[in-house]
């Protein structure tokens, strides 16, 4: 199966960005002699043994690269199954791409200052970020999944989501744990303010910069630095123990030589008393001076060893302090991640509860509104009937007004007419007052609910922003 074109191109772009080649690399097959990988290890990853490996035949070069990855990347998957040496000897592009992936991961983890990713296109950054995310999420199963990832989209068992292949704006797979870069989006999307939503960018300005600021990446980098510091401290302690042993041997030699000098001094005194020949005295004097010179040289070496011992002890103490600082930062970041997770959970619960309450209240309002509209319709029908009766009575009144003999009946009809008008007026007024009161009451309830929701969301968003700002300050200080 051929390699994923965009990912292979992104890896080649990263290799070219190291500037270890005189000419740009256009195809993975150009890396088959492994000299470019060794130059990256020597130049970018600061390995002193890499330069001599360039002069070795290809099998020795491959052995050096595999040993370097085994020592520094330290993946739980066996390196032999991840990158078979035979495939590198045959120059298979898939094996070359795997080496480039591991070197990219190690270089990103080892860099103490953020790299400038502006020389890469946005699409290239998206693919590089996707590669880093995949290695972070699949460290325990790289030997099974990296090959599939480089050939096509990530398998369903990996941490990546299927959407990462189709949308360049979503290079990072969604995870259950808290992402600091997503907290602001979660809090802002819960707010009903249009201005807040408009302030969010449509896509990350630098996918590589964003992924290197995530807690998962920062924690992994701290762990790697902590392990490197521990390994460096262990090496220094071994070297210090050897120096202490050498110092003890030198001190023993000094003691033996001092004893010999003392014996020679006694012999000199005895010989002087016996008036030895001048030639014998000269030999003893030369031997004595030689022993004194060796004693001074040994004392000087001893002093140098003591000085070096003091420097090593100070360096070990410094490494121990840095080790403690890194451990403290690691615990602190984990604590803040737990706090952010709890804050996010509270925000989600409050948002879901408020949303359910609002939906329930909306249903009640809709039901009451339908009832009010039905009452209004009935009242309007009654008014129309009464108005018809009024019109009919008015017509009858006009007709009856022409007949003077029926004035008594006319007076009665006029009184019945006045009563109908009063009834109609009362029904119109009553219906309007009832509806107005109902709408005013529901309006107040709805306004109170909306205000409560806004206050809750604002407080939750403010808390999340404070925690996020505090974490950024701690990361900046580290």
């Amino acid at each position: 199966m051929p390699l994923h074109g965009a990912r292979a191109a992104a890896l080649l772009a990263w290799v070219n960005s190291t500037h270890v080649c005189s000419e740009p690399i256009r195809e993975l097959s150009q890396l088959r002699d492994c000299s470019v990988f060794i130059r990256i290890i020597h130049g970018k990853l600061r390995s002193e043994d890499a330069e001599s490996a360039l002069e070795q035949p290809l099998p020795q070069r491959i052995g050096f690269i595999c040993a370097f990855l085994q020592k520094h990347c330290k993946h739980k998957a066996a390196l032999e199954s991840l990158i078979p040496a035979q495939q590198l000897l045959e120059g298979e592009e898939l094996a070359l791409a795997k080496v480039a992936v591991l070197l990219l991961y190690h270089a990103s983890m080892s860099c103490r200052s953020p790299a400038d990713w502006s020389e890469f296109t946005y699409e290239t950054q998206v693919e590089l970020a996707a590669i880093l995310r995949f290695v972070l999420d699949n460290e325990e199963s790289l030997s099974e999944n990296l090959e599939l990832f480089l050939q096509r989209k990530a398998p369903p068992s990996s941490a990546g989501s299927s959407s990462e292949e189709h949308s360049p704006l979503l290079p990072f797979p969604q995870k259950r744990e808290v992402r600091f870069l997503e907290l602001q989006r979660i809090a802002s999307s819960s707010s009903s303010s249009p201005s807040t939503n408009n302030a969010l960018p449509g896509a990350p300005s630098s996918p590589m910069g964003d992924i290197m600021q995530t807690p998962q990446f920062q924690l992994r980098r701290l762990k790697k630095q902590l392990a490197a510091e521990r390994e460096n401290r262990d090496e220094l302690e071994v070297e210090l123990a050897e120096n202490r042993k050498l110092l003890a041997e030198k001190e023993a030699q000094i003691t033996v030589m001092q004893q010999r000098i003392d014996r020679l001094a006694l012999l000199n005194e005895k010989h002087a008393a016996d008036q030895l020949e001048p030639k014998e005295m000269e030999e003893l004097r030369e031997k004595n001076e030689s022993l004194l010179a060796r004693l001074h040289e040994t004392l000087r070496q001893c002093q140098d060893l003591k000085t070096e011992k003091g420097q090593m002890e100070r360096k070990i103490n410094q490494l121990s302090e840095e080790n403690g600082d890194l451990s403290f930062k690691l615990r602190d970041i984990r604590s803040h991640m737990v706090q952010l997770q709890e804050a996010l959970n509270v925000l989600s619960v409050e948002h879901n509860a408020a949303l359910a309450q609002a939906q329930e209240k909306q249903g009640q309002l809709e039901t009451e509104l339908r009832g009010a509209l039905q009452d209004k319709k009935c009242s309007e029908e009654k008014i129309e009937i009464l108005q018809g009766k009024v019109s009919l009575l008015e017509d009858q009144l006009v007709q009856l007004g022409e007949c003077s003999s029926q004035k008594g009946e006319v007076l009665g009809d006029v009184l019945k007419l006045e009563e109908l008008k009063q009834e109609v007026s009362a029904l119109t007024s009553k219906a309007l007052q009832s509806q107005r009161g109902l709408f005013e009451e529901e309006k107040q309830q709805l306004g109170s609910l909306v205000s409560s929701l806004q206050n809750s969301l604002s407080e939750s968003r403010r808390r999340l922003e404070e925690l996020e700002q505090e974490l950024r300050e701690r990361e900046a200080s580290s």
Side-chain angles (χ1 to χ4, degrees), residues 307-325:
T307 303
E308 187 176 355
K309 172 187 174 184
Q311 293 175 350
M312 285 191 173
E313 288 178 345
R314 286 193 297 272
K315 192 168 185 179
I316 288 177
N317 292 334
Q318 181 182 358
L319 288 174
S320 299
E321 293 177 359
E322 293 177 357
N323 189 2
D325 292 340

Side-chain angles (χ1 to χ4, degrees), residues 16-27:
N16 289 325
S17 72
T18 60
H19 304 295
V20 298
C21 307
S22 58
E23 296 292 335
I25 302 297
R26 304 295 182 187
E27 297 179 354

Side-chain angles (χ1 to χ4, degrees), residues 37-216:
F37 293 147
I38 294 179
R39 290 192 183 98
I40 291 176
I41 293 173
H42 173 67
K44 193 172 183 63
L45 302 179
R46 310 298 182 189
S47 176
E48 298 178 356
D49 302 329
E51 191 172 9
S52 60
L54 287 173
E55 303 173 0
Q56 302 295 325
L58 181 59
Q60 282 72 22
R61 295 183 186 182
I62 293 174
F64 171 80
I65 293 173
C66 293
F68 176 85
L69 295 177
Q70 184 72 49
K71 178 180 179 181
H72 294 281
C73 294
K74 293 179 180 169
H75 295 291
K76 295 183 179 179
L79 193 67
E80 293 79 6
S81 61
L82 181 61
I83 306 178
Q86 185 61 35
Q87 294 182 4
L88 285 177
L89 280 172
E90 295 171 0
E92 292 188 13
E93 291 188 350
L94 180 58
L96 296 172
K98 289 180 181 179
V99 174
V101 167
L102 295 182
L103 290 179
L104 168 64
Y105 174 80
H106 179 60
S108 302
M109 283 291 176
S110 302
C111 181
R112 292 184 177 271
S113 58
D116 183 12
W117 299 100
S118 60
E119 64 177 292
F120 298 97
T121 63
Y122 180 79
E123 290 75 13
T124 300
Q125 288 195 52
V126 167
E127 292 299 335
L128 292 176
I131 292 171
L132 284 183
R133 171 64 69 187
F134 180 84
V135 177
L136 284 172
D137 293 338
N138 293 268
E139 279 192 316
E140 297 183 359
S141 58
L142 275 182
S143 58
E144 295 85 4
N145 296 335
L146 182 57
E147 184 172 335
L148 294 176
F149 177 78
L150 290 173
Q151 290 176 330
R152 55 180 176 84
K153 67 181 182 180
S157 61
S158 67
S161 64
S162 61
S163 63
E164 97 179 62
E165 286 293 322
H166 305 290
S167 175
L169 300 181
L170 296 174
F172 310 137
Q174 301 296 321
K175 297 286 291 178
R176 293 183 179 178
E177 63 263 22
V178 175
R179 301 274 186 248
F180 292 129
L181 298 177
E182 296 173 356
L183 286 177
Q184 185 176 2
R185 176 181 62 79
I186 295 172
S188 300
S189 62
S190 303
S191 173
S192 59
S193 171
S195 62
T196 303
N197 293 332
N198 292 336
L200 291 175
S205 59
S206 173
M208 284 296 293
D210 288 345
I211 192 175
M212 294 178 75
Q213 292 301 320
T214 58
Q216 185 183 10

Side-chain angles (χ1 to χ4, degrees), residues 312-379:
M312 285 191 173
E313 288 178 345
R314 286 193 297 272
K315 192 168 185 179
I316 288 177
N317 292 334
Q318 181 182 358
L319 288 174
S320 299
E321 293 177 359
E322 293 177 357
N323 189 2
D325 292 340
L326 287 173
S327 300
F328 177 77
K329 290 178 182 178
L330 193 62
R331 291 193 299 270
D332 198 22
I333 288 179
R334 285 176 176 168
S335 175
H336 277 77
M337 288 183 66
V338 172
Q339 293 178 5
L340 287 173
Q341 180 67 64
E342 293 174 351
L344 180 61
N345 293 338
V346 172
L347 175 62
S348 300
V349 171
E350 292 178 352
H351 177 69
N352 293 334
L355 182 61
Q357 185 179 1
Q359 290 175 347
E360 181 181 359
K361 195 64 180 178
Q362 183 180 1
Q364 295 177 358
L365 290 175
E366 290 176 353
T367 302
E368 293 175 358
L369 181 59
R370 286 193 295 270
L373 292 175
Q374 185 67 29
D375 293 341
K376 180 182 177 184
K377 183 177 180 181
C378 293
S379 300

Side-chain angles (χ1 to χ4, degrees), residues 194-386:
S195 62
T196 303
N197 293 332
N198 292 336
L200 291 175
S205 59
S206 173
M208 284 296 293
D210 288 345
I211 192 175
M212 294 178 75
Q213 292 301 320
T214 58
Q216 185 183 10
F217 190 91
Q218 293 293 328
L219 282 174
R220 202 65 52 83
R221 172 179 286 178
L222 282 175
K223 288 180 179 179
K224 188 176 182 64
Q225 292 178 1
L226 191 60
E229 295 294 346
R230 287 173 177 169
E231 183 176 355
N232 190 17
R233 186 188 65 182
D234 293 341
E235 292 176 355
L236 286 175
E237 288 179 348
V238 171
E239 186 177 355
L240 180 61
E242 293 176 353
N243 286 335
R244 285 174 176 170
K245 181 180 178 181
L246 182 60
L247 182 62
E249 293 176 354
K250 293 290 184 182
E251 290 177 346
Q253 292 178 6
I254 291 173
T255 302
V256 172
M257 294 179 69
Q258 187 66 50
Q259 292 174 354
R260 292 180 64 184
I261 290 174
D262 293 340
R263 287 198 300 270
L264 284 173
L266 292 175
L267 286 175
N268 285 335
E269 294 176 358
K270 183 177 180 182
H271 288 171
D274 295 340
Q275 296 181 351
L276 294 177
E277 294 295 329
K279 183 178 180 180
E280 295 177 351
M281 290 292 296
E282 185 66 24
E283 291 177 354
L284 288 174
R285 187 180 301 109
E286 291 177 356
K287 197 171 185 179
N288 188 24
E289 291 175 353
S290 174
L291 288 174
L292 286 175
R294 289 177 59 188
L295 175 63
H296 292 315
E297 177 65 20
T298 304
L299 288 174
R300 187 188 62 79
Q301 293 178 359
C302 183
Q303 184 62 37
D304 292 341
L305 286 173
K306 288 182 179 180
T307 303
E308 187 176 355
K309 172 187 174 184
Q311 293 175 350
M312 285 191 173
E313 288 178 345
R314 286 193 297 272
K315 192 168 185 179
I316 288 177
N317 292 334
Q318 181 182 358
L319 288 174
S320 299
E321 293 177 359
E322 293 177 357
N323 189 2
D325 292 340
L326 287 173
S327 300
F328 177 77
K329 290 178 182 178
L330 193 62
R331 291 193 299 270
D332 198 22
I333 288 179
R334 285 176 176 168
S335 175
H336 277 77
M337 288 183 66
V338 172
Q339 293 178 5
L340 287 173
Q341 180 67 64
E342 293 174 351
L344 180 61
N345 293 338
V346 172
L347 175 62
S348 300
V349 171
E350 292 178 352
H351 177 69
N352 293 334
L355 182 61
Q357 185 179 1
Q359 290 175 347
E360 181 181 359
K361 195 64 180 178
Q362 183 180 1
Q364 295 177 358
L365 290 175
E366 290 176 353
T367 302
E368 293 175 358
L369 181 59
R370 286 193 295 270
L373 292 175
Q374 185 67 29
D375 293 341
K376 180 182 177 184
K377 183 177 180 181
C378 293
S379 300
E380 289 175 348
E381 291 177 354
K382 288 181 181 179
I383 291 172
E384 289 177 359
I385 293 173
L386 291 175

